[in-house]
Amino acid sequence: MVVCVDVGNTNIVLGAYADDKLLFTSRVQTELGKTADQYAIAFNSILHLYHCADVPCEGAIISSVVPPLQTTLKTALNRLLGCRVLAVGPGVKTGLNIKIDNPASTGADLVCDAVATLNKYPLPSIIFDLGTATKILALDKFGNFLGGSIMPGIGISLNALSTQTAQLPHIDLDTPQSVIGSNTVDCMKSGIVFGNASMIDGMVRKYRSILGSDAHVVATGGYAAAILPFCETEILHDPDLLMDGLYAIYKKNTNQ
């Protein structure tokens, strides 16, 4: 078994692979104040929950966009699993040709998304990662990572509407009744859901004008399921894209 951990600003996703198959994924809240032992206890509980606690573990790998937690989580995994723990970053082989101004600055999550797309989908490709931030990545027909776009995520946008205005309430993100809302809540839902769907459609058109009209589009991230049904563009939803990229990078660095 190989354990993969994706550390995001809001959630930490824990997954495990055996025989090249994803056994499970589970989410815990990202908390900077937790110790290595506290995370080890949380991960141990998840492994028991999915009946994987007694499966032999050959190694683990971390992707993190929260630098202060990387050492803590490497320690937690090492104590819990007693195995080698890799972290996506300088010195780790990815096979990805990153053609941006400073390749070393590329987020580990973006690297994993791109590596998985290279392994699974046609090129050129446009990748949407709808998480705490909304990220768009571009892979050209040769598999080069050209760069992308970053904008406030859906959760951040909703929170800003509620906390930075005097009369707009906190709302749940569910299906709007109509693009033209007839009350405050429905107006907010329309703006968030249809507005983000239209942004995705518009950005696909702009990216395809550079990459080519045949550019494949794939989306992942916690908010993808809520937004993609309202897009006009044909987009493949792959919720495990980042996990698959992490696992591919682990195999590349262990000669598997």
Side-chain angles (χ1 to χ4, degrees), residues 33-53:
K34 273 190 175 180
T35 65
D37 284 351
Q38 287 175 309
Y39 275 114
I41 290 168
F43 294 161
N44 188 44
S45 297
I46 291 170
L47 290 174
H48 275 89
L49 179 65
Y50 289 95
H51 310 292
C52 293

Side-chain angles (χ1 to χ4, degrees), residues 184-234:
T184 300
V185 170
D186 283 348
C187 288
M188 293 173 69
K189 289 178 181 178
S190 171
I192 290 293
V193 174
F194 289 114
N196 276 278
S198 298
M199 177 275 293
I200 290 172
D201 289 330
M203 291 300 275
V204 168
R205 288 193 294 272
K206 289 183 180 297
Y207 271 61
R208 281 179 169 166
S209 71
I210 297 170
L211 297 175
S213 60
D214 60 339
H216 182 81
V217 188
V218 60
T220 191
Y223 291 104
I227 304 300
L228 295 186
F230 303 95
C231 294
E232 296 176 0
T233 308
E234 182 178 345

Side-chain angles (χ1 to χ4, degrees), residues 7-9 30 32 62-74:
V7 186
N9 289 291
T30 303
L32 288 173
I62 296 173
S63 160
S64 177
V65 296
V66 187
L69 275 182
Q70 183 157 297
T71 299
T72 299
L73 291 172
K74 287 185 74 171

Side-chain angles (χ1 to χ4, degrees), residues 145-180:
F145 176 31
L146 302 182
S149 307
I150 301 175
M151 58 209 74
I154 291 160
I156 289 175
S157 299
L158 271 175
N159 185 62
L161 277 177
S162 302
T163 59
Q164 301 300 315
T165 60
Q167 293 186 308
L168 295 181
H170 290 276
I171 64 170
D172 293 326
L173 185 63
D174 54 17
T175 304
Q177 298 298 313
S178 169
V179 69
I180 302 176

